[in-house]
Amino acid sequence: TILAQPNMGTIRKSIDSFMADNKSREQYEKLMAKGQELHEKQHRSLPLSGEEIGDFEKQREAVLNNPVARGFLDAQQALHELQAA
């Protein structure tokens, strides 16, 4: 059913573009690793420094401003919405 959705072609194209772009993938993977690191630190009740938070926010902004990475994030969201429906 999901594959038959009309916007599946656009979603697939965004994912394929992202997978083919090493720079975008690396940028995204670094952001995810940093987010996981901060999450684990919080889970252990350790304080997050302003520098850590600022670094994460800078990385997040860079990913959101990258059209290929942003297309991938939008495609992920669209897939989640299709699965939830």
Side-chain angles (χ1 to χ4, degrees), residues 7-26:
N7 61 341
M8 217 32 227
T10 303
I11 291 170
R12 177 102 178 158
K13 183 179 177 188
S14 294
I15 292 170
D16 290 345
S17 294
F18 175 76
M19 296 306 289
D21 188 328
N22 290 336
K23 180 183 174 218
S24 294
R25 279 196 345 260
E26 182 180 313

Side-chain angles (χ1 to χ4, degrees), residues 3-79:
L3 294 176
Q5 296 299 314
N7 61 341
M8 217 32 227
T10 303
I11 291 170
R12 177 102 178 158
K13 183 179 177 188
S14 294
I15 292 170
D16 290 345
S17 294
F18 175 76
M19 296 306 289
D21 188 328
N22 290 336
K23 180 183 174 218
S24 294
R25 279 196 345 260
E26 182 180 313
Q27 194 178 35
Y28 174 80
E29 289 167 3
K30 284 182 180 180
L31 175 65
M32 293 298 105
K34 185 67 171 178
Q36 184 65 32
E37 177 187 322
L38 295 180
H39 175 76
E40 289 173 10
K41 194 171 179 181
Q42 273 188 316
H43 186 69
R44 293 184 308 227
S45 299
L46 298 172
L48 302 179
S49 72
E51 184 179 335
E52 289 173 311
I53 294 168
D55 184 43
F56 176 79
E57 288 299 323
K58 278 169 110 175
Q59 288 181 23
R60 187 171 85 71
E61 276 300 310
V63 168
L64 292 176
N65 288 326
N66 175 330
V68 175
R70 182 62 198 212
F72 174 71
L73 294 172
D74 291 343
Q76 275 188 320
Q77 180 63 35
L79 283 175

